[in-house]
Amino acid sequence: MVKYYENNTIFHYTWDQVVQGFWRRYPNPESKHVLSEDTIHREIKENKLFSIRLLTKTNRVPKWGERFVGSPIVKIIEESVIDPEKRTLTTYTRNLGYTKVMSLVEKVVYRPSEENPSWTVAERSAWVDSQVLGFGRAIQAFGVERFRKNCSKMVHGFNYVLSSMFPSSVSAHHSQTQPSTTTAKEKLKGAAKKASDLAKSKAGSLYITCEPTA
């Protein structure tokens, strides 16, 4: 049975910014495993932009996996559709090599967030399968766990690119979140002062009670 994984990520950038950044997300500090990327097809059809890209990646193979995989380098095909009317960017990614050992199909839909139209939500789904007799389930579980960890790196890397491209958006988001942080600090300071005053008053009353009488 194919293993399924999904998660959602919020990017604090507009959909237009995310779409621009999508084509420039490599290289970044988290993408050292991406060796190359090439656009092999692109066309506009029915007011939508269709693209196919070929990526070459490398992933460290665990010791037990060396018996199934001869080389850690694998080709990845990435298909994408940009629909400016619906404001969606949909990507489909799958590996071309070692598909019998482990196949990974990923779908991501980027759309404006309902919570905040100035943000973008990435709805990610992944299907992991393996046809290795006797090891299929273990390889599927390994694939899902590795994909889950890689998702965090992908988000950090993409955010790095977006912050480099749109520094003003980073400043705006920071200024929006700053007041609540300041308020929290002020509350903590106020609570600390009250605790200090209370401690002093108790210390003073204790001194008066224990003062020897004449």
Side-chain angles (χ1 to χ4, degrees), residues 158-207:
F158 199 1
N159 269 319
Y160 173 86
V161 171
L162 291 169
S163 65
S164 300
M165 292 178 64
F166 309 106
S168 59
S169 295
V170 178
S171 302
H173 175 62
H174 180 71
S175 64
Q176 288 175 1
T177 57
Q178 189 63 33
S180 61
T181 305
T182 304
T183 302
K185 286 182 180 179
E186 290 175 350
K187 287 182 179 179
L188 285 173
K189 285 183 180 179
K193 187 177 185 304
K194 286 182 180 179
S196 177
D197 292 343
L198 182 61
K200 286 179 181 178
S201 66
K202 285 188 176 181
S205 62
L206 180 63
Y207 176 78

Side-chain angles (χ1 to χ4, degrees), residues 4 93 115 118-119 138 145 167 200:
Y4 176 73
T93 309
E115 178 185 352
S118 296
W119 296 350
E145 181 59 21
K200 286 179 181 178

Side-chain angles (χ1 to χ4, degrees), residues 57-78:
K57 297 184 179 182
T58 179
N59 275 315
R60 184 180 61 82
V61 179
K63 216 48 172 164
W64 57 265
E66 292 178 354
R67 61 184 293 187
F68 304 115
V69 178
S71 169
I73 296 176
V74 63
K75 298 289 185 180
I76 307 292
I77 196 76
E78 175 195 272

Side-chain angles (χ1 to χ4, degrees), residues 63-104:
K63 216 48 172 164
W64 57 265
E66 292 178 354
R67 61 184 293 187
F68 304 115
V69 178
S71 169
I73 296 176
V74 63
K75 298 289 185 180
I76 307 292
I77 196 76
E78 175 195 272
E79 301 176 71
S80 62
V81 183
I82 296 179
D83 188 334
E85 293 182 6
K86 293 184 178 179
R87 295 181 69 75
T88 59
L89 162 59
T90 306
T91 67
Y92 300 90
T93 309
R94 67 182 187 279
N95 59 301
L96 297 180
Y98 305 112
T99 54
K100 289 186 178 181
V101 178
M102 185 175 71
S103 65
L104 172 61

Side-chain angles (χ1 to χ4, degrees), residues 3-17:
K3 290 283 187 180
Y4 176 73
Y5 174 83
E6 68 175 15
N7 75 355
N8 290 345
T9 302
I10 295 291
F11 293 98
H12 296 114
Y13 300 87
T14 66
W15 181 80
D16 294 318
Q17 291 173 331

